[in-house]
Amino acid sequence: MEKFATVDADGLRARVEQLLAEHDPAGDRLAFLQARFDAGLAWVHYPPGLGGLGAPRELQSVVDDALAAAGAPDNDPRRIGIGLGMAAPTILVHGTDEQRRRWLRPLWTGEEVWCQLFSEPGAGSDLAALGTRAVREQDSWIVNGQKVWTSMAHEARWAILVTRTDPSVPKHAGMTYFACDMTAPGVEVRPLRQITGEAEFNEVFLTDVRIPDEYRLGDVGNGWRVAQTTLMNERVAIGGGAAPRESGTIAAVCRTWRERPELRTPAGHAELMRLWVEAEALRLTGLRLRQQLAVGAPGPEGSAAKLSYARLNQAVSGFELDLLGDEALRYDDWSTGTWATKRPAAVDFLARSPGYRYLRAKGNSIEGGTSEILRNIIAERVLGLPGEPRVDKDVPWKDLPK
Amino acid sequence: MNLLYSDVEEQLRASVRDLLAARAPLSGAVARAESDRPYEPALWTALARELGVAGLAVPESAGGHGGSWREVAVVAEELGRAVAATPFLGSTVLATAAATAVPSARELVGALAAGTSTAVLVVPLSTPPGSAFPGQVSFDGTHATGQVRSAADAAAADLLLVPAAGPAGPVLLSVEAGAARCEPVTSLDLTRPLSNVHLDAAAGSVVAEGDGAVRALEAALLAGAVVLASEQVGLAEHGLDSTVAYLKERYQFGRQIGSFQALKHRCADLWANLAQARAVARYAAACLADGTADGAADAPVAAALAQAYCSPLAVTAAEECIQLHGGIGFTWEHPAHLYLKRAKADSIAFGGAARHHARLGELVGLPA
């Protein structure tokens, strides 16, 4: 029986009360999360029946806060971030009713982790150049190719996958989007060891992988448009509260400066203060961005913040090594040998050595869109400057130089 | 601490922009700058009295409009964007901030707020917040003697506020402009003329003394540094906007030059840094507007931060504007040079980035 007529903040609080009354938050974790999903309190802006109530997205914090206060378990959004941020919105928009029912609930509860099979060794910034082939065979597709930079692939049950289904048309027109079962024969996940010595990511090799046609998301040949939904949702969420002054990598440098007077030099001070100012400017920009979002006027500054963050993190972590001198010649842990390679699920700059910070920061200007592509996006979409002349637009994919 | 612009602020911005477009269009900026009268009294009167910008940060009880330094900062953005020549910084910011810090100076505050008096703080424009009280001028109890170099906006003022060394310590004096000699100097910035102010036994009356004088001077310099950051944001925005417009209209090698990545990326970087400058300048204005509340304690940090960030950014924006305009950007007829001159002079006003870095280090516990 429907007891609540509205889905305003008070109505949501009442629904949370009811959920807590009927399901013990200290009991079985998964059972509670499933009950929360079924009560429409998973992501309140999703439709009823799919974990939501069709409520305004900004009311989610009402639910999250009330449940956190009650000590209820969360669904570990860090571990299932790709599912929540990228797969789910894509399934919601482009999936069939059956696909939505099959995938969204276990995705949200964390029973099934998702990863993303987009980038390839030959198609990074130019994602639409990808060459992983999917060939139709009756009710299935046979997929062959190699993907890269795949976070969580080693834990994922499912992947969102973009493939080439028609090489004879220009690149954007010949792509098709699927959900791929990561346990299917022919899917091989290998850790991709990176500059830090760790393997946050994976390479994924797809050899004659059979994907049933009912796992296709969107029409054949429409994969690029489906992928746009995924990518537009990639950085929508700006979580958490405002960071305090001297947060992040600048904090470590400031602590060293305060505690180690023998390391100080005049030139070092000038550089330290320049970086301190940059860090504070970035922090205030983030604060301003959150305030814009809170009043429903998101600005394009998010892409600027990503650009600035990468530059700052690299400069600060490089300066930290310069400041430390002799000590900076050491590293905390290479864990040599593939058997010992670490597989962290998240990056924690402050828990690691200065050398790690320096090396890991090199990824900040590459992951999630290179700084060069971000500059193009700012220049073209924000400032309205003309695009580069395109030589690949009307050429069949198979005829493009590779 | 709200870093956004309110509706009232946006309306104020629109009014100032409209007035400047009508009375001081950019097309005539170069001609105005090289005329004998860099300040147009009619423009200043319209701004100060008709739009009421002179009394924006002054409480209604003291004859002002009861706004805050946030709104003053928005006006500064627009004046910077138009590279307008007005005594706004000298009178509405420096002199008004000094006078409002003195409880007994109600009459002076009222006159400044109404725009019936234009005053100026007689210190070198490069004086940073946190400076020792200046001693170039001595005061014997009735008359002031001394010289101050490179004071901004003195040529437009009818009243001079002069920090001086009195018989019993620091004093802030009020001196009629007619009692002093303002010698114009040839300024790098054509739109904000500087003067050497000579006081030769000029009659002066005490506005504040002792700690009160010190506090008034510091309040003025802090307000100057904070509001100047918003002017720098306005200057930088113009630099980017005019550059982007030019890159769309100029063709070379058969293409709009704005389609070349080498140029686009420079604009994108400028835009990203400008977004940060806006946040920093808004934060400083909000801290200053906070008066005695939470943010006020952070105002010295916010002011130094704002200058350390916005000063070099405005210079970079003006330099990029000239470079990306190519040959035309280097000519006298194009107004780009007015922006470069203002931006570079601004970057030295109130101390310069190196001094602000040093001061920040002291304030946040990162000693040299």
Side-chain angles (χ1 to χ4, degrees):
Chain A
M1 190 181 74
E2 184 56 80
K3 290 204 309 206
F4 308 99
T6 58
V7 282
D8 60 5
D10 286 341
L12 286 174
R13 279 188 207 96
R15 285 168 190 266
V16 170
E17 287 296 309
Q18 184 172 339
L19 174 70
L20 290 168
E22 292 170 2
H23 301 274
D24 180 7
D28 183 68
R29 181 175 177 277
L30 183 59
F32 185 87
L33 291 172
Q34 287 169 336
R36 177 176 168 184
F37 186 93
D38 295 339
L41 297 171
W43 31 34
V44 297
H45 58 289
Y46 270 49
L50 295 174
L53 296 162
R57 185 186 198 121
E58 51 270 27
L59 291 181
Q60 183 66 41
S61 61
V62 172
V63 174
D64 293 346
D65 293 349
L67 286 171
D74 76 22
N75 59 338
D76 196 359
R78 214 155 67 161
R79 193 167 150 270
I80 61 171
I82 292 163
L84 288 176
M86 303 178 81
T90 310
I91 293 166
L92 183 68
V93 173
H94 298 283
T96 62
D97 285 344
E98 197 186 331
Q99 289 172 334
R100 292 155 151 197
R101 276 194 300 276
R102 165 64 187 85
W103 283 321
L104 288 176
R105 191 173 185 258
L107 182 159
W108 188 86
T109 59
E111 288 163 87
E112 292 180 347
V113 173
W114 285 68
C115 67
Q116 184 231 59
L117 296 173
F118 279 24
S119 292
E120 298 181 4
S125 291
D126 184 9
L127 176 62
L130 62 83
T132 291
R133 285 281 277 134
V135 179
R136 183 127 199 188
E137 199 182 284
Q138 282 109 36
D139 290 339
S140 293
W141 297 80
I142 307 301
V143 180
N144 281 282
Q146 183 192 345
K147 297 287 181 173
V148 78
W149 305 125
T150 316
S151 305
M152 304 303 291
H154 54 296
E155 293 191 32
R157 172 69 173 74
W158 294 96
I160 42 177
L161 166 70
V162 194
T163 65
R164 171 102 16 227
T165 43
D166 186 352
S168 69
V169 295
K171 60 182 185 178
H172 290 95
M175 301 160 79
T176 302
Y177 196 117
F178 296 96
C180 174
D181 182 346
M182 292 295 283
T183 65
V187 176
E188 188 199 348
V189 177
R190 294 185 205 162
L192 180 60
R193 199 160 185 227
Q194 66 212 37
I195 191 169
T196 58
E198 301 179 337
E200 283 170 59
F201 315 117
N202 302 278
E203 296 176 290
V204 177
F205 296 83
L206 303 161
T207 310
D208 292 332
V209 177
R210 181 175 294 270
I211 298 182
D213 190 55
E214 61 250 41
Y215 290 175
R216 176 163 50 79
L217 281 157
D219 294 336
V220 174
N222 205 29
W224 181 248
R225 203 170 73 78
V226 183
Q228 287 305 303
T229 305
T230 310
L231 296 173
M232 278 190 303
N233 280 285
E234 187 173 9
R235 283 187 301 273
V236 164
I238 298 192
R245 183 171 284 169
E246 283 184 21
S247 299
T249 49
I250 194 77
V253 183
C254 288
R255 190 171 57 240
T256 300
W257 186 271
R258 290 192 178 102
E259 292 173 358
R260 307 278 302 277
E262 75 277 11
L263 299 176
R264 296 175 194 163
T265 61
H269 191 251
E271 181 66 358
L272 172 69
M273 295 317 300
R274 195 184 67 73
L275 295 170
W276 192 95
V277 165
E278 286 282 342
E280 184 64 2
L282 179 60
R283 186 183 76 87
L284 291 171
T285 307
L287 180 61
R288 189 162 192 269
L289 190 59
R290 269 188 290 275
Q291 291 176 350
Q292 286 177 322
L293 286 172
V295 298
E301 285 89 344
S303 46
K306 203 271 184 187
L307 192 60
S308 302
Y309 169 78
R311 188 180 51 196
L312 175 73
N313 231 19
Q314 292 173 354
V316 169
S317 57
F319 172 69
E320 189 179 14
L321 296 199
D322 295 340
L323 181 64
L324 286 168
D326 174 64
E327 283 168 55
L329 300 175
R330 291 169 229 154
Y331 192 71
D332 60 348
D333 183 8
W334 290 117
S335 293
T336 49
T338 49
W339 53 271
T341 298
K342 287 188 178 173
R343 314 236 38 198
V347 177
D348 187 349
F349 274 102
L350 298 184
R352 295 289 301 273
S353 66
Y356 172 85
R357 286 194 275 280
Y358 173 71
L359 295 173
R360 183 59 186 81
K362 294 290 166 275
N364 293 158
S365 52
I366 301 170
E367 58 201 342
T370 63
S371 291
E372 288 68 29
I373 291 292
L374 276 175
R375 288 186 179 98
N376 278 359
I377 290 169
I378 292 168
E380 292 174 19
R381 298 194 199 155
V382 181
L383 300 176
L385 287 167
E388 295 266 326
R390 297 292 298 266
V391 297
D392 57 351
K393 232 172 165 175
D394 304 316
V395 182
W397 178 83
K398 64 179 171 51
D399 297 332
L400 288 173
K402 292 178 191 80
Chain B
M1 194 66 65
N2 186 354
L3 306 182
L4 307 180
Y5 299 103
S6 69
D7 291 343
V8 171
E9 286 167 344
E10 291 296 358
Q11 286 162 19
L12 175 67
R13 179 197 304 286
S15 303
V16 173
R17 203 180 276 197
D18 288 350
L19 182 80
L20 290 171
R23 305 270 187 106
L26 194 54
S27 55
V30 175
R32 287 194 301 277
E34 59 183 336
S35 73
D36 293 337
R37 283 204 327 202
Y39 295 110
E40 289 179 72
L43 171 66
W44 177 233
T45 302
L47 271 169
R49 297 191 199 168
E50 288 168 30
L51 284 187
V53 304
L56 272 180
V58 175
E60 287 179 28
S61 61
H65 290 83
S68 80
W69 289 105
R70 294 173 56 99
E71 283 129 73
V72 174
V74 169
V75 175
E77 279 183 32
E78 293 311 307
L79 295 175
R81 193 191 314 276
V83 75
T86 72
F88 178 81
L89 181 69
S91 190
T92 302
V93 180
L94 293 174
T96 304
T100 47
V102 181
S104 60
R106 284 183 65 88
E107 203 178 318
L108 172 57
V109 171
L112 292 174
T116 52
S117 182
T118 298
V120 68
L121 184 73
V122 181
V123 294
L125 181 59
S126 58
T127 311
S131 294
F133 202 83
Q136 296 99 318
V137 176
S138 57
F139 179 64
D140 64 8
T142 50
H143 292 89
T145 300
Q147 285 184 41
V148 178
R149 290 168 55 82
S150 305
D153 296 337
D158 49 60
L159 192 72
L160 309 178
L161 291 180
V162 185
V171 288
L172 183 65
L173 302 175
S174 151
V175 176
E176 296 289 333
R181 184 165 63 85
C182 290
E183 171 207 354
V185 300
T186 305
S187 311
L188 174 69
D189 176 4
L190 294 161
T191 57
R192 180 172 285 142
L194 304 178
S195 305
N196 291 340
V197 177
H198 301 267
L199 298 157
D200 185 10
S205 57
V206 174
V207 175
E209 54 191 333
D211 286 347
V214 172
R215 274 199 302 274
L217 177 68
E218 183 60 16
L221 294 173
L222 202 59
V226 166
V227 176
L228 193 72
S230 287
E231 173 175 306
Q232 288 160 331
V233 167
L235 284 169
E237 280 179 343
H238 173 85
L240 177 61
D241 291 349
S242 63
T243 300
V244 167
Y246 183 73
L247 295 183
K248 290 178 190 173
E249 77 188 27
R250 171 81 169 169
Y251 280 75
Q252 298 278 265
F253 307 102
R255 290 158 64 178
Q256 288 162 287
I257 60 173
S259 65
F260 288 99
Q261 207 172 48
L263 278 52
K264 283 158 110 160
H265 283 195
R266 289 164 70 161
C267 291
D269 280 336
L270 197 50
W271 180 82
N273 293 341
L274 187 50
Q276 302 203 141
R278 196 177 297 110
V280 164
R282 280 273 93 187
Y283 179 69
C287 286
L288 196 65
D290 225 19
T292 54
D294 289 352
D298 209 32
V301 171
L305 171 73
Q307 277 306 301
Y309 194 84
C310 299
S311 286
L313 174 75
V315 173
T316 300
E319 289 173 346
E320 290 288 82
C321 178
I322 287 176
Q323 176 63 23
L324 298 184
H325 273 78
I328 188 70
F330 190 67
T331 64
W332 186 268
E333 68 175 289
H334 195 282
H337 64 97
L338 296 179
Y339 286 86
L340 178 68
K341 291 163 187 171
R342 171 73 75 86
K344 194 66 190 176
D346 275 2
S347 77
I348 294 161
F350 305 117
R355 281 180 192 280
H356 294 297
H357 283 152
R359 179 149 164 82
L360 267 178
E362 293 164 16
L363 290 168
V364 303
L366 292 167

